[in-house]
Amino acid sequence: MAGQTLYDKLWSEHLVKNRDDGSSLLYIDRHILHEVTSPQAFEGLRLAKRKPWRTDTNIATTDHNISTDINERKGGVSGIPDKTSQIQVKTLNDNCTLFGIREFQMNDPGQGIVHVMGPELGATMPGMTVVCGDSHTATHGAIGCLAHGIGTSEVEHVLATQCLITKKMKNMRILVDGELAFGVTPKDVILSIIGHIGTAGGTGYAIEFAGQVFEEMSIEGRMTVCNMAIEAGARVGMVAVDDKTIEYCSNREFGPNKSQIDYAIKSWRNLRSDKDAIFDKEVTLSADDMEPQVTWGTSPEMVCSVTDKIPNPKSFESVDRQKSYDSALKYMNLRPGILMTEISIDKVFIGSCTNSRIEDLREAAEVVKGRQVASSIKQALVVPGSQMVKSQAEREGLDKIFKRSGLEWREPGCSMCLAMNSDKLNPGEHCASTSNRNFEGRQGNGGRTHLMSPSMAAAAAIFGRIADVRQITQGNQ
Amino acid sequence: MVNSITTHTGIVAPIDRVNVDTDMIIPKQFLKSIKRTGFGQNLFDELRYLDVGYPEQNCSSRPLNMKFPLNQERYEHASILLTRKNFGCGSSREHAPWALEDYGFKVLIAPSFADIFYNNCFKNGILPITLVDSEVEFLFEKLYSTENFSLCIDLVNQSVKSNFGEEFEFKFIIDSFYKDCLIQGLDEIDLTLKDREAIKKFEKQREKICPWIFGAIK
Ligand code: SF4
């Protein structure tokens, strides 16, 4: 019999039963809640007079709607400028109190974007099944757990039964070997992958990222990669457990205690695909020729190297593709054939669950240090992913570097990733963004998003246009 | 309780583009609601209206984008949506199927759907049907050349049929689990809680293997 993949192992360890109708009942170890996708689930529980199956498995925080402005934040819930946002945040607070769920409220030291906060507190651990009403839950797979997004009905279902009704996905492995060149980051790796397999390339699969590049990557970097598995169409992204995972996951607040840790580590060591495991689909890419990536369109697959020109839609065979590329260029107000580095930038956003961890902020600070944001930039935000990241960055003096260079230092939250709070693009503005989605209107109505790495976004802030970060940082070396 | 579907006949409306994401289906500002209903008036808000919508607004006097199919008289009573590949991609918001359902759509037809969205449809009484590219193309052609183009959907026999005029029939594949859920309109939580004992037993076992997962968060 062939060996098992990491996904197969995680699946079978959590399988309560296969049902007659072809679906399966999967046990859920950790459930993370936030204010946007939970109110209707709690309402459902209340209406049906149900209680959560277990409370010690749920953890909640508020991130999407809250203000990241330092002064507004001081005003607490009532300091949130938008009334409907206030209601949503307050509803989460009330529901958590009512149902006895541990919540990190807006200004608590543990608060942060759900996918930054979870691993950092040790609320998510290797070997767990993790769900959250948010598609970027795949992030947590970076530490060798099975994590994916669920809808609000499923949030209610998990609250009430501790299980998810689901079907087993297929196995896919993305193998990237070789060395990443100077200036090429985990964000560039995942954008290259998406450019290669397309936004539906992983649909129906659980992706395991394997190979030298991921082995050498930090846990933070792996999170950036797994985070965007969903942009490659897959609900699940994973990396096998290794020494780095174990080091990262030991000594976390909600992780195993002293008497449990040795035993835990022993079991985590098994969380990797067997050598003879068979994948339904394999994609192999070489790291050697990867360059810093930037998106030019309205889907993450519309991406190219910073040194490239915007492609001509006519150069693609499929008519579907021609049409969607055409309309993307129209929306972005860009012409085929111009160099990526000719695109002017109005705003810069460094943050989101993709790129707001300490390593990302260090990377961006390195670029802006001793330089000034271009005068044409209307706003440049740096938004740490959590309170813990924020304090760490402040201990290292990164906040001062950013402020001195003319970037704003904000409070943790989703911020300009999705325009549900006050951080938004205005119609027509181009944004250099470290987030994960460049859909029409994602960062604000009519806003135009260019996805890139933190160092590339920092370089864009300095030049006022898309710029090749390697030209700046080479000099730093 | 989910609405059940066995057969459905209705007018078809087109959204002729690929990769329609959930933000297009229901823009993020409407996610601030704490209710499940009332999203229909904001379905495809940015494509449908010429101004920017906000939650709980009276939409009856907003300027309409008359180029958008749902604003055209011929599609006024549409309950079947015909679209292109990877429909429902992007954020996992269940507000997308809520909005489609609230507007009156019962059936969606496309060459492919995004995973989470596909799943969410069944939980909200919407039937997403996957047909091959050429069949979808055929339906688009028919739709554009036929007034009041409508289709008969038969979930039990898994077929999409012409409602009048030229006869055609396309079979579709659907998971028996999803099919049963829709036909019976089942409450999934009740169904799962029938396995209460199995879950408890599993949980005890799990606590033995991974004690650190239990009682950690207080
Ligand atoms: S940062 Fe963006 S992608 Fe991440 S959870 Fe928040 S809104 Fe979603």
PDB file of all heavy atoms in Angstrom, chain A residues 307-337:
ATOM      1  N   THR A 307      10.181  43.306 -13.608  1.00  0.00           N
ATOM      2  CA  THR A 307      10.966  43.736 -14.768  1.00  0.00           C
ATOM      3  C   THR A 307      10.200  43.588 -16.084  1.00  0.00           C
ATOM      4  O   THR A 307      10.682  43.993 -17.131  1.00  0.00           O
ATOM      5  CB  THR A 307      12.256  42.899 -14.863  1.00  0.00           C
ATOM      6  OG1 THR A 307      11.868  41.518 -14.785  1.00  0.00           O
ATOM      7  CG2 THR A 307      13.210  43.207 -13.739  1.00  0.00           C
ATOM      8  N   ASP A 308       9.009  42.994 -16.007  1.00  0.00           N
ATOM      9  CA  ASP A 308       8.234  42.722 -17.232  1.00  0.00           C
ATOM     10  C   ASP A 308       7.405  43.918 -17.677  1.00  0.00           C
ATOM     11  O   ASP A 308       7.265  44.909 -16.963  1.00  0.00           O
ATOM     12  CB  ASP A 308       7.273  41.547 -17.001  1.00  0.00           C
ATOM     13  CG  ASP A 308       7.993  40.225 -17.037  1.00  0.00           C
ATOM     14  OD1 ASP A 308       9.148  40.192 -17.504  1.00  0.00           O
ATOM     15  OD2 ASP A 308       7.394  39.236 -16.577  1.00  0.00           O
ATOM     16  N   LYS A 309       6.827  43.737 -18.882  1.00  0.00           N
ATOM     17  CA  LYS A 309       5.828  44.682 -19.365  1.00  0.00           C
ATOM     18  C   LYS A 309       4.454  44.067 -19.175  1.00  0.00           C
ATOM     19  O   LYS A 309       4.313  42.839 -19.119  1.00  0.00           O
ATOM     20  CB  LYS A 309       6.055  44.926 -20.858  1.00  0.00           C
ATOM     21  CG  LYS A 309       7.332  45.692 -21.143  1.00  0.00           C
ATOM     22  CD  LYS A 309       7.538  45.831 -22.632  1.00  0.00           C
ATOM     23  CE  LYS A 309       8.796  46.668 -22.861  1.00  0.00           C
ATOM     24  NZ  LYS A 309       9.363  46.440 -24.182  1.00  0.00           N
ATOM     25  N   ILE A 310       3.435  44.901 -19.118  1.00  0.00           N
ATOM     26  CA  ILE A 310       2.073  44.383 -19.020  1.00  0.00           C
ATOM     27  C   ILE A 310       1.756  43.611 -20.298  1.00  0.00           C
ATOM     28  O   ILE A 310       1.945  44.127 -21.395  1.00  0.00           O
ATOM     29  CB  ILE A 310       1.063  45.532 -18.829  1.00  0.00           C
ATOM     30  CG1 ILE A 310       1.321  46.200 -17.482  1.00  0.00           C
ATOM     31  CG2 ILE A 310      -0.365  45.021 -18.919  1.00  0.00           C
ATOM     32  CD1 ILE A 310       0.418  47.356 -17.190  1.00  0.00           C
ATOM     33  N   PRO A 311       1.301  42.359 -20.151  1.00  0.00           N
ATOM     34  CA  PRO A 311       1.084  41.531 -21.339  1.00  0.00           C
ATOM     35  C   PRO A 311      -0.076  42.041 -22.190  1.00  0.00           C
ATOM     36  O   PRO A 311      -0.983  42.718 -21.686  1.00  0.00           O
ATOM     37  CB  PRO A 311       0.758  40.160 -20.755  1.00  0.00           C
ATOM     38  CG  PRO A 311       0.281  40.422 -19.376  1.00  0.00           C
ATOM     39  CD  PRO A 311       0.992  41.643 -18.906  1.00  0.00           C
ATOM     40  N   ASN A 312      -0.031  41.690 -23.450  1.00  0.00           N
ATOM     41  CA  ASN A 312      -1.121  42.032 -24.343  1.00  0.00           C
ATOM     42  C   ASN A 312      -2.166  40.917 -24.302  1.00  0.00           C
ATOM     43  O   ASN A 312      -1.849  39.767 -24.575  1.00  0.00           O
ATOM     44  CB  ASN A 312      -0.573  42.179 -25.762  1.00  0.00           C
ATOM     45  CG  ASN A 312      -1.598  42.802 -26.679  1.00  0.00           C
ATOM     46  OD1 ASN A 312      -2.801  42.694 -26.437  1.00  0.00           O
ATOM     47  ND2 ASN A 312      -1.134  43.461 -27.715  1.00  0.00           N
ATOM     48  N   PRO A 313      -3.420  41.254 -23.954  1.00  0.00           N
ATOM     49  CA  PRO A 313      -4.457  40.219 -23.865  1.00  0.00           C
ATOM     50  C   PRO A 313      -4.542  39.397 -25.151  1.00  0.00           C
ATOM     51  O   PRO A 313      -4.822  38.205 -25.123  1.00  0.00           O
ATOM     52  CB  PRO A 313      -5.743  41.016 -23.654  1.00  0.00           C
ATOM     53  CG  PRO A 313      -5.306  42.299 -23.052  1.00  0.00           C
ATOM     54  CD  PRO A 313      -3.938  42.576 -23.607  1.00  0.00           C
ATOM     55  N   LYS A 314      -4.274  40.045 -26.277  1.00  0.00           N
ATOM     56  CA  LYS A 314      -4.393  39.347 -27.569  1.00  0.00           C
ATOM     57  C   LYS A 314      -3.376  38.215 -27.700  1.00  0.00           C
ATOM     58  O   LYS A 314      -3.530  37.330 -28.527  1.00  0.00           O
ATOM     59  CB  LYS A 314      -4.208  40.332 -28.721  1.00  0.00           C
ATOM     60  CG  LYS A 314      -5.362  41.299 -28.849  1.00  0.00           C
ATOM     61  CD  LYS A 314      -5.397  41.937 -30.230  1.00  0.00           C
ATOM     62  CE  LYS A 314      -6.416  43.055 -30.285  1.00  0.00           C
ATOM     63  NZ  LYS A 314      -5.974  44.245 -29.485  1.00  0.00           N
ATOM     64  N   SER A 315      -2.324  38.256 -26.884  1.00  0.00           N
ATOM     65  CA  SER A 315      -1.305  37.222 -27.001  1.00  0.00           C
ATOM     66  C   SER A 315      -1.750  35.894 -26.385  1.00  0.00           C
ATOM     67  O   SER A 315      -1.027  34.907 -26.419  1.00  0.00           O
ATOM     68  CB  SER A 315      -0.006  37.696 -26.358  1.00  0.00           C
ATOM     69  OG  SER A 315      -0.203  37.852 -24.971  1.00  0.00           O
ATOM     70  N   PHE A 316      -2.942  35.877 -25.774  1.00  0.00           N
ATOM     71  CA  PHE A 316      -3.411  34.624 -25.175  1.00  0.00           C
ATOM     72  C   PHE A 316      -4.397  33.941 -26.105  1.00  0.00           C
ATOM     73  O   PHE A 316      -5.161  34.592 -26.811  1.00  0.00           O
ATOM     74  CB  PHE A 316      -4.052  34.890 -23.818  1.00  0.00           C
ATOM     75  CG  PHE A 316      -3.069  35.404 -22.821  1.00  0.00           C
ATOM     76  CD1 PHE A 316      -2.920  36.771 -22.624  1.00  0.00           C
ATOM     77  CD2 PHE A 316      -2.269  34.536 -22.111  1.00  0.00           C
ATOM     78  CE1 PHE A 316      -1.987  37.258 -21.729  1.00  0.00           C
ATOM     79  CE2 PHE A 316      -1.330  35.019 -21.211  1.00  0.00           C
ATOM     80  CZ  PHE A 316      -1.192  36.382 -21.014  1.00  0.00           C
ATOM     81  N   GLU A 317      -4.351  32.620 -26.070  1.00  0.00           N
ATOM     82  CA  GLU A 317      -5.172  31.879 -26.999  1.00  0.00           C
ATOM     83  C   GLU A 317      -6.648  31.903 -26.636  1.00  0.00           C
ATOM     84  O   GLU A 317      -7.505  32.134 -27.477  1.00  0.00           O
ATOM     85  CB  GLU A 317      -4.686  30.426 -27.045  1.00  0.00           C
ATOM     86  CG  GLU A 317      -4.358  29.974 -28.461  1.00  0.00           C
ATOM     87  CD  GLU A 317      -3.583  28.681 -28.415  1.00  0.00           C
ATOM     88  OE1 GLU A 317      -4.192  27.688 -27.989  1.00  0.00           O
ATOM     89  OE2 GLU A 317      -2.386  28.678 -28.778  1.00  0.00           O
ATOM     90  N   SER A 318      -6.930  31.665 -25.342  1.00  0.00           N
ATOM     91  CA  SER A 318      -8.334  31.500 -24.964  1.00  0.00           C
ATOM     92  C   SER A 318      -9.084  32.831 -25.018  1.00  0.00           C
ATOM     93  O   SER A 318      -8.610  33.866 -24.549  1.00  0.00           O
ATOM     94  CB  SER A 318      -8.405  30.872 -23.574  1.00  0.00           C
ATOM     95  OG  SER A 318      -9.149  31.670 -22.705  1.00  0.00           O
ATOM     96  N   VAL A 319     -10.269  32.766 -25.605  1.00  0.00           N
ATOM     97  CA  VAL A 319     -11.082  33.967 -25.766  1.00  0.00           C
ATOM     98  C   VAL A 319     -11.559  34.477 -24.400  1.00  0.00           C
ATOM     99  O   VAL A 319     -11.594  35.678 -24.141  1.00  0.00           O
ATOM    100  CB  VAL A 319     -12.305  33.669 -26.667  1.00  0.00           C
ATOM    101  CG1 VAL A 319     -13.142  34.921 -26.876  1.00  0.00           C
ATOM    102  CG2 VAL A 319     -11.833  33.093 -27.991  1.00  0.00           C
ATOM    103  N   ASP A 320     -11.896  33.541 -23.536  1.00  0.00           N
ATOM    104  CA  ASP A 320     -12.300  33.886 -22.160  1.00  0.00           C
ATOM    105  C   ASP A 320     -11.247  34.764 -21.506  1.00  0.00           C
ATOM    106  O   ASP A 320     -11.522  35.769 -20.872  1.00  0.00           O
ATOM    107  CB  ASP A 320     -12.393  32.615 -21.308  1.00  0.00           C
ATOM    108  CG  ASP A 320     -13.803  32.067 -21.292  1.00  0.00           C
ATOM    109  OD1 ASP A 320     -14.651  32.657 -21.983  1.00  0.00           O
ATOM    110  OD2 ASP A 320     -14.024  31.054 -20.601  1.00  0.00           O
ATOM    111  N   ARG A 321     -10.010  34.297 -21.662  1.00  0.00           N
ATOM    112  CA  ARG A 321      -8.892  34.964 -21.036  1.00  0.00           C
ATOM    113  C   ARG A 321      -8.694  36.353 -21.650  1.00  0.00           C
ATOM    114  O   ARG A 321      -8.505  37.337 -20.924  1.00  0.00           O
ATOM    115  CB  ARG A 321      -7.650  34.130 -21.247  1.00  0.00           C
ATOM    116  CG  ARG A 321      -6.631  34.361 -20.166  1.00  0.00           C
ATOM    117  CD  ARG A 321      -5.487  33.450 -20.351  1.00  0.00           C
ATOM    118  NE  ARG A 321      -5.350  32.637 -19.160  1.00  0.00           N
ATOM    119  CZ  ARG A 321      -4.163  32.239 -18.701  1.00  0.00           C
ATOM    120  NH1 ARG A 321      -3.065  32.532 -19.359  1.00  0.00           N
ATOM    121  NH2 ARG A 321      -4.089  31.542 -17.613  1.00  0.00           N
ATOM    122  N   GLN A 322      -8.764  36.422 -22.960  1.00  0.00           N
ATOM    123  CA  GLN A 322      -8.610  37.713 -23.635  1.00  0.00           C
ATOM    124  C   GLN A 322      -9.612  38.707 -23.087  1.00  0.00           C
ATOM    125  O   GLN A 322      -9.284  39.845 -22.773  1.00  0.00           O
ATOM    126  CB  GLN A 322      -8.821  37.550 -25.136  1.00  0.00           C
ATOM    127  CG  GLN A 322      -7.684  36.841 -25.826  1.00  0.00           C
ATOM    128  CD  GLN A 322      -7.875  36.806 -27.337  1.00  0.00           C
ATOM    129  OE1 GLN A 322      -8.749  37.470 -27.885  1.00  0.00           O
ATOM    130  NE2 GLN A 322      -7.051  36.015 -28.013  1.00  0.00           N
ATOM    131  N   LYS A 323     -10.854  38.226 -22.968  1.00  0.00           N
ATOM    132  CA  LYS A 323     -11.930  39.108 -22.495  1.00  0.00           C
ATOM    133  C   LYS A 323     -11.663  39.590 -21.077  1.00  0.00           C
ATOM    134  O   LYS A 323     -11.787  40.774 -20.774  1.00  0.00           O
ATOM    135  CB  LYS A 323     -13.265  38.338 -22.504  1.00  0.00           C
ATOM    136  CG  LYS A 323     -14.078  38.541 -23.765  1.00  0.00           C
ATOM    137  CD  LYS A 323     -15.538  38.245 -23.435  1.00  0.00           C
ATOM    138  CE  LYS A 323     -16.137  37.320 -24.474  1.00  0.00           C
ATOM    139  NZ  LYS A 323     -17.340  36.626 -24.036  1.00  0.00           N
ATOM    140  N   SER A 324     -11.314  38.635 -20.197  1.00  0.00           N
ATOM    141  CA  SER A 324     -11.162  39.052 -18.806  1.00  0.00           C
ATOM    142  C   SER A 324      -9.903  39.917 -18.626  1.00  0.00           C
ATOM    143  O   SER A 324      -9.891  40.831 -17.805  1.00  0.00           O
ATOM    144  CB  SER A 324     -11.184  37.853 -17.859  1.00  0.00           C
ATOM    145  OG  SER A 324     -10.065  37.055 -18.063  1.00  0.00           O
ATOM    146  N   TYR A 325      -8.861  39.648 -19.411  1.00  0.00           N
ATOM    147  CA  TYR A 325      -7.659  40.479 -19.320  1.00  0.00           C
ATOM    148  C   TYR A 325      -7.941  41.887 -19.830  1.00  0.00           C
ATOM    149  O   TYR A 325      -7.475  42.875 -19.269  1.00  0.00           O
ATOM    150  CB  TYR A 325      -6.505  39.841 -20.102  1.00  0.00           C
ATOM    151  CG  TYR A 325      -5.801  38.737 -19.340  1.00  0.00           C
ATOM    152  CD1 TYR A 325      -6.493  37.985 -18.389  1.00  0.00           C
ATOM    153  CD2 TYR A 325      -4.467  38.439 -19.551  1.00  0.00           C
ATOM    154  CE1 TYR A 325      -5.865  36.974 -17.689  1.00  0.00           C
ATOM    155  CE2 TYR A 325      -3.826  37.417 -18.848  1.00  0.00           C
ATOM    156  CZ  TYR A 325      -4.533  36.692 -17.925  1.00  0.00           C
ATOM    157  OH  TYR A 325      -3.909  35.689 -17.230  1.00  0.00           O
ATOM    158  N   ASP A 326      -8.730  41.924 -20.913  1.00  0.00           N
ATOM    159  CA  ASP A 326      -9.116  43.225 -21.468  1.00  0.00           C
ATOM    160  C   ASP A 326      -9.873  44.063 -20.443  1.00  0.00           C
ATOM    161  O   ASP A 326      -9.572  45.241 -20.220  1.00  0.00           O
ATOM    162  CB  ASP A 326     -10.061  43.006 -22.666  1.00  0.00           C
ATOM    163  CG  ASP A 326      -9.384  43.366 -23.971  1.00  0.00           C
ATOM    164  OD1 ASP A 326      -8.413  44.149 -23.931  1.00  0.00           O
ATOM    165  OD2 ASP A 326      -9.836  42.870 -25.011  1.00  0.00           O
ATOM    166  N   SER A 327     -10.868  43.433 -19.811  1.00  0.00           N
ATOM    167  CA  SER A 327     -11.690  44.218 -18.889  1.00  0.00           C
ATOM    168  C   SER A 327     -10.890  44.571 -17.639  1.00  0.00           C
ATOM    169  O   SER A 327     -11.089  45.621 -17.039  1.00  0.00           O
ATOM    170  CB  SER A 327     -13.017  43.528 -18.576  1.00  0.00           C
ATOM    171  OG  SER A 327     -12.811  42.456 -17.729  1.00  0.00           O
ATOM    172  N   ALA A 328      -9.939  43.709 -17.263  1.00  0.00           N
ATOM    173  CA  ALA A 328      -9.085  44.030 -16.118  1.00  0.00           C
ATOM    174  C   ALA A 328      -8.235  45.266 -16.420  1.00  0.00           C
ATOM    175  O   ALA A 328      -8.116  46.176 -15.591  1.00  0.00           O
ATOM    176  CB  ALA A 328      -8.187  42.854 -15.777  1.00  0.00           C
ATOM    177  N   LEU A 329      -7.667  45.296 -17.615  1.00  0.00           N
ATOM    178  CA  LEU A 329      -6.824  46.442 -17.965  1.00  0.00           C
ATOM    179  C   LEU A 329      -7.639  47.733 -18.011  1.00  0.00           C
ATOM    180  O   LEU A 329      -7.179  48.799 -17.602  1.00  0.00           O
ATOM    181  CB  LEU A 329      -6.121  46.209 -19.308  1.00  0.00           C
ATOM    182  CG  LEU A 329      -4.952  45.225 -19.262  1.00  0.00           C
ATOM    183  CD1 LEU A 329      -4.382  44.993 -20.634  1.00  0.00           C
ATOM    184  CD2 LEU A 329      -3.861  45.727 -18.308  1.00  0.00           C
ATOM    185  N   LYS A 330      -8.872  47.590 -18.481  1.00  0.00           N
ATOM    186  CA  LYS A 330      -9.736  48.763 -18.527  1.00  0.00           C
ATOM    187  C   LYS A 330      -9.976  49.266 -17.092  1.00  0.00           C
ATOM    188  O   LYS A 330      -9.854  50.444 -16.806  1.00  0.00           O
ATOM    189  CB  LYS A 330     -11.068  48.383 -19.196  1.00  0.00           C
ATOM    190  CG  LYS A 330     -11.668  49.546 -19.961  1.00  0.00           C
ATOM    191  CD  LYS A 330     -12.882  49.121 -20.760  1.00  0.00           C
ATOM    192  CE  LYS A 330     -12.534  48.625 -22.159  1.00  0.00           C
ATOM    193  NZ  LYS A 330     -13.573  47.721 -22.687  1.00  0.00           N
ATOM    194  N   TYR A 331     -10.309  48.326 -16.209  1.00  0.00           N
ATOM    195  CA  TYR A 331     -10.574  48.704 -14.820  1.00  0.00           C
ATOM    196  C   TYR A 331      -9.334  49.339 -14.178  1.00  0.00           C
ATOM    197  O   TYR A 331      -9.428  50.329 -13.447  1.00  0.00           O
ATOM    198  CB  TYR A 331     -11.003  47.473 -14.004  1.00  0.00           C
ATOM    199  CG  TYR A 331     -11.267  47.798 -12.544  1.00  0.00           C
ATOM    200  CD1 TYR A 331     -12.510  48.285 -12.148  1.00  0.00           C
ATOM    201  CD2 TYR A 331     -10.272  47.648 -11.588  1.00  0.00           C
ATOM    202  CE1 TYR A 331     -12.750  48.609 -10.817  1.00  0.00           C
ATOM    203  CE2 TYR A 331     -10.505  47.976 -10.264  1.00  0.00           C
ATOM    204  CZ  TYR A 331     -11.738  48.447  -9.884  1.00  0.00           C
ATOM    205  OH  TYR A 331     -11.975  48.775  -8.574  1.00  0.00           O
ATOM    206  N   MET A 332      -8.174  48.785 -14.488  1.00  0.00           N
ATOM    207  CA  MET A 332      -6.936  49.274 -13.890  1.00  0.00           C
ATOM    208  C   MET A 332      -6.416  50.533 -14.594  1.00  0.00           C
ATOM    209  O   MET A 332      -5.451  51.152 -14.151  1.00  0.00           O
ATOM    210  CB  MET A 332      -5.847  48.192 -13.944  1.00  0.00           C
ATOM    211  CG  MET A 332      -6.144  46.944 -13.144  1.00  0.00           C
ATOM    212  SD  MET A 332      -6.259  47.199 -11.359  1.00  0.00           S
ATOM    213  CE  MET A 332      -4.536  47.445 -10.923  1.00  0.00           C
ATOM    214  N   ASN A 333      -7.058  50.884 -15.705  1.00  0.00           N
ATOM    215  CA  ASN A 333      -6.618  52.016 -16.525  1.00  0.00           C
ATOM    216  C   ASN A 333      -5.150  51.868 -16.931  1.00  0.00           C
ATOM    217  O   ASN A 333      -4.338  52.779 -16.760  1.00  0.00           O
ATOM    218  CB  ASN A 333      -6.854  53.334 -15.773  1.00  0.00           C
ATOM    219  CG  ASN A 333      -6.708  54.545 -16.680  1.00  0.00           C
ATOM    220  OD1 ASN A 333      -6.973  54.452 -17.867  1.00  0.00           O
ATOM    221  ND2 ASN A 333      -6.258  55.664 -16.118  1.00  0.00           N
ATOM    222  N   LEU A 334      -4.828  50.689 -17.451  1.00  0.00           N
ATOM    223  CA  LEU A 334      -3.453  50.411 -17.872  1.00  0.00           C
ATOM    224  C   LEU A 334      -3.450  49.916 -19.313  1.00  0.00           C
ATOM    225  O   LEU A 334      -4.450  49.383 -19.793  1.00  0.00           O
ATOM    226  CB  LEU A 334      -2.840  49.339 -16.966  1.00  0.00           C
ATOM    227  CG  LEU A 334      -2.585  49.740 -15.512  1.00  0.00           C
ATOM    228  CD1 LEU A 334      -2.176  48.526 -14.700  1.00  0.00           C
ATOM    229  CD2 LEU A 334      -1.531  50.835 -15.417  1.00  0.00           C
ATOM    230  N   ARG A 335      -2.316  50.125 -19.984  1.00  0.00           N
ATOM    231  CA  ARG A 335      -2.180  49.689 -21.372  1.00  0.00           C
ATOM    232  C   ARG A 335      -1.198  48.532 -21.452  1.00  0.00           C
ATOM    233  O   ARG A 335      -0.194  48.512 -20.741  1.00  0.00           O
ATOM    234  CB  ARG A 335      -1.633  50.831 -22.227  1.00  0.00           C
ATOM    235  CG  ARG A 335      -2.668  51.851 -22.669  1.00  0.00           C
ATOM    236  CD  ARG A 335      -2.010  52.962 -23.474  1.00  0.00           C
ATOM    237  NE  ARG A 335      -1.103  53.787 -22.667  1.00  0.00           N
ATOM    238  CZ  ARG A 335       0.219  53.804 -22.795  1.00  0.00           C
ATOM    239  NH1 ARG A 335       0.820  53.051 -23.687  1.00  0.00           N
ATOM    240  NH2 ARG A 335       0.967  54.598 -22.036  1.00  0.00           N
ATOM    241  N   PRO A 336      -1.456  47.587 -22.364  1.00  0.00           N
ATOM    242  CA  PRO A 336      -0.474  46.526 -22.565  1.00  0.00           C
ATOM    243  C   PRO A 336       0.832  47.128 -23.081  1.00  0.00           C
ATOM    244  O   PRO A 336       0.817  48.184 -23.726  1.00  0.00           O
ATOM    245  CB  PRO A 336      -1.090  45.640 -23.653  1.00  0.00           C
ATOM    246  CG  PRO A 336      -2.455  46.140 -23.916  1.00  0.00           C
ATOM    247  CD  PRO A 336      -2.622  47.465 -23.269  1.00  0.00           C
ATOM    248  N   GLY A 337       1.932  46.492 -22.759  1.00  0.00           N
ATOM    249  CA  GLY A 337       3.212  46.920 -23.321  1.00  0.00           C
ATOM    250  C   GLY A 337       3.983  47.906 -22.463  1.00  0.00           C
ATOM    251  O   GLY A 337       5.164  48.095 -22.667  1.00  0.00           O
TER     252      GLY A 337
END
